């Protein structure tokens, strides 16, 4: 039976939404679930079939980094990770500190052979109702061309085994279409990606084409990826605020909004990151899903579903074999 | 009398929209206007008060770079720039190739003393109906920390003299708020910006806060700036496409859209880059406005207004004196 782990602490909304998400998930999926956290916050999970509460008395805080990883041995996150290494868990979902999760899992679970660093992979919806996956969204603050080639391999395997795309189109985020465009890192990376036979590299993609649905995987360094991700959030908020403002500033606008209520809700839902699960920590020897810090029940539920798919498909093992050119 | 120059060639929509924009502008402003381009495309400007047609037989194309600058001496863009250096024009608007405009003006007009490279400055609306100015939006593909300090000075002067902000808040685009965040360039630049007494540096800003209205000037390298700019465009398009889709997919949505027609138009107008003029080529000895390649009459009109303000306020002279710490 698949064994999933949940770090129930460290999220913005507290453990109760995570508890609800776990109950809903266990209703839909037949797995074994270990939930790490302060047991008094997890009482609703007591005596539930296939759920084990792992009482963990410490919490990794937002500012906890590599040091805390070694100090807070009893933190829910660290316990979940330790048990992953001991093969008691097949994968983890956490809504806790990204920095702590990254350093702890890199340190303890370690990267796949052939991968120097983990990358955060996130999915965004496209105009034609497909998805586009980005990596790295900010696991690193600085990267080399070699890292980006590794990210291309990770993204390619993810799209193949989770999204079932035969030959995923892998593109490099850049400031123009031509090979000669971009800074030193982009020019070097373009050549490396072009020379690598392990995936279908289709060239550069610009920010304004990100959502066109023409590419499946967008590779970029962690700095640019994080800037891009947050700019998308900021722009979507701006457009939403303007829309609300405009509708509410006149009677006809208000009437229109009333009629269009369902349609507007539908639009918001299509843009909603929650449906797309969490960000995936790729490149490690176990799948780890980083749920958004402010995940509500639904978001955390989908993060669990995403983790389930990763484990069920044996994606990490497939990636490891593919990267090291072993037979699948 | 203020003498403005228009490069009428090289735009996506052809010279006719530019001709209309010139006529409208000359109706509203009392200036001398030299319009460079093929005279047969500019006949509507013949015998108009204070307008002179400068027949130029060549056109700078989208792919023209530094080489073409030296070769196409008779291009409308180059003639306008040459006449600027000869003090026959006080500034230029062009909707032609950004690359060509950048290399030609850097080569011929040259940068202000104390500024190594020009930067593209663009304005975006914020949630609280203010503006935020970004630079560099892509004049360079790679920058040093020193460049970014110079951009901070240019942006600061622009906000002071054009937007009349007393002590503009200057921020560095980064992946977190703390000083320690970001790549090598960001860490170095943070220290340099903090040490420079010439402007009010308020720290890092993240992509999701760009439109909050808390900062006036956002400084970044040309690579990240261009990625950010295009991601904003891409995201706004995605949200608009989803909105349209959702409204049109049901009868109630359609009825809502009908009632909210004015409100939706108002929202689009607030997001419309046209109203904010073109991108400004800052750091050169003359003001140059790069109108969007697909500028319609209105967009080009506002680009002319923006150029007029730059010249009327003597912004370039003020920037030059301020950067070199001469008395204003």
């Amino acid at each position: 039976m698949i064994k999933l782990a949940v770090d129930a602490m460290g999220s913005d909304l507290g453990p109760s939404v995570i508890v609800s998400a776990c109950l809903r998930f266990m209703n839909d999926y037949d797995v074994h679930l270990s939930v790490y956290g302060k047991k008094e916050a997890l009482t609703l999970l007591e005596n539930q079939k296939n759920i084990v509460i792992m009482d963990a008395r410490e919490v990794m805080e937002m500012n906890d980094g590599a040091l805390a990883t070694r100090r807070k041995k009893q933190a829910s996150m660290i316990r979940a990770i330790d048990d992953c290494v001991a093969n008691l868990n097949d994968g983890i979902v956490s809504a806790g500190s990204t920095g702590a999760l990254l350093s702890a899992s890199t340190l303890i679970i370690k990267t796949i052979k052939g991968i120097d660093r983990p990358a955060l992979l996130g999915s965004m919806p496209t105009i034609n109702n497909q998805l586009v996956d980005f990596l790295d969204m900010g696991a690193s603050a600085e990267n080399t061309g070699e890292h980006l080639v590794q990210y291309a391999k990770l993204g390619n395997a993810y799209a193949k085994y989770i999204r079932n795309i035969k030959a995923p189109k892998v593109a490099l985020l850049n400031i123009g279409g031509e090979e000669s465009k971009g800074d030193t890192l982009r020019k070097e990376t373009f050549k490396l990606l072009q020379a690598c036979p392990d995936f279908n590299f289709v060239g550069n993609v610009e920010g304004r084409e990100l959502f066109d649905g023409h590419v499946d995987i967008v590779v970029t360094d962690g700095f640019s990826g994080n800037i891009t991700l947050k700019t998308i959030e900021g722009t979507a908020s701006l457009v939403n605020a303007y829309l609300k403002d405009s509708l509410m500033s006149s009677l006809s606008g208000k009437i229109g909004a009333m009629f269009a209520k369902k349609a507007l809700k539908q639009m918001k839902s299509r843009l909603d990151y929650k449906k797309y699960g969490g960000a995936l920590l790729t490149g490690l020897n176990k799948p780890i899903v980083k749920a958004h810090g402010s995940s509500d029940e639904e978001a955390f539920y989908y993060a669990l579903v995403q983790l389930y798919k990763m484990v069920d498909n044996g994606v990490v093992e497939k990636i490891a074999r593919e990267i090291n050119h072993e037979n699948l």
Side-chain angles (χ1 to χ4, degrees), chain A:
Chain A
M1 193 182 252
I2 286 176
K3 297 162 292 174
L4 304 185
V6 166
D7 166 21
M9 309 307 282
S11 92
D12 299 349
L13 303 181
S16 64
V17 290
I18 294 179
V19 166
S20 317
C22 289
L23 289 170
R24 182 175 155 201
F25 177 77
M26 291 302 282
N27 215 32
D28 299 345
Y29 290 82
D30 197 24
V31 303
H32 182 275
L33 197 68
S34 299
V35 184
Y36 296 76
K38 295 185 174 163
K39 63 179 180 194
E40 59 274 24
L42 309 173
T43 47
L44 282 176
L45 301 176
E46 280 171 17
N47 306 316
Q48 294 285 335
K49 194 185 156 203
N50 289 335
I51 297 186
V52 176
I53 296 172
M54 306 295 276
D55 187 32
R57 306 309 304 167
E58 288 183 294
V59 178
M60 292 298 267
E61 305 293 345
M62 275 306 142
N63 297 325
D64 280 340
L67 256 174
T69 298
R70 300 184 190 275
R71 220 179 46 232
K72 291 189 173 175
K73 293 280 178 210
Q74 292 310 312
S76 53
M77 186 188 282
I78 304 299
R79 293 267 313 275
I81 292 174
D82 280 339
D83 286 353
C84 230
V85 174
N87 279 322
L88 300 171
N89 304 321
D90 299 320
I92 306 171
V93 180
S94 172
S97 155
T98 310
L101 189 63
L102 259 167
S103 44
S105 51
T106 310
L107 226 68
I108 303 170
I109 297 182
K110 297 198 169 63
T111 54
I112 293 170
K113 193 182 138 195
I115 299 291
D116 295 329
R117 305 175 170 204
L120 274 166
L121 178 148
S123 299
M124 292 288 303
T126 64
I127 285 178
N128 56 349
N129 287 316
Q130 301 296 311
L131 288 176
V132 59
D133 296 314
F134 292 62
L135 73 170
D136 173 31
M137 299 196 322
S140 296
E142 197 146 17
N143 289 111
T144 65
E146 290 294 345
H147 294 151
L148 269 65
V149 173
Q150 295 173 7
Y151 296 167
K153 292 178 185 176
L154 292 171
N156 179 61
Y158 177 82
K160 262 167 74 176
Y161 301 121
I162 289 291
R163 293 175 53 203
N164 297 314
I165 302 170
K166 236 185 179 172
K169 297 192 199 77
V170 177
L172 175 66
L173 183 63
N174 206 336
I175 56 175
E178 306 90 339
E179 179 172 351
S180 62
K181 287 282 180 180
D183 55 7
T184 314
L185 176 60
R186 255 38 70 162
K187 289 176 193 168
E188 184 204 332
T189 304
F190 191 102
K191 288 204 184 83
L192 293 173
L193 290 172
Q194 214 171 27
C196 184
D198 293 2
F199 42 77
N200 173 23
F201 177 56
V202 296
N204 292 327
V205 67
E206 292 191 72
R208 63 163 74 101
E209 311 155 345
L210 280 178
F211 308 110
D212 285 359
H214 297 147
V215 300
D216 302 305
I217 300 290
V218 175
V219 173
T220 190
D221 66 295
F223 182 83
S224 302
N226 198 262
I227 293 276
T228 302
L229 176 75
K230 288 173 180 165
T231 300
I232 293 169
E233 286 182 42
T235 309
S237 298
L238 178 77
V239 179
N240 273 322
Y242 275 17
L243 178 62
K244 206 174 155 186
D245 252 32
S246 300
L247 289 173
M248 290 305 125
S249 68
S250 72
L251 182 63
S252 61
K254 282 178 192 164
I255 296 171
M258 219 172 62
F259 275 102
K261 199 175 169 183
K262 222 176 111 187
L264 294 173
K265 215 176 144 184
Q266 191 197 335
M267 175 195 84
K268 273 208 161 173
S269 147
R270 279 178 77 185
L271 284 169
D272 194 356
Y273 67 89
K274 285 168 198 156
K275 282 198 324 192
Y276 309 102
L280 196 70
L281 247 155
T282 54
L284 296 166
N285 286 310
K286 297 276 180 179
I288 297 187
V289 176
K290 167 66 185 81
H292 205 286
S294 58
S295 293
D296 58 16
E297 186 201 307
E298 201 185 0
F300 204 89
Y301 172 86
Y302 280 110
L304 274 164
V305 172
Q306 200 182 6
L307 178 65
Y308 174 84
K309 283 190 198 164
M310 290 292 295
V311 174
D312 190 42
N313 283 293
V315 176
V316 167
E317 295 75 14
K318 286 178 184 163
I319 290 178
R321 271 178 282 166
E322 191 169 301
I323 282 173
N324 295 294
H325 298 106
E326 295 164 15
N327 290 333
L328 288 177

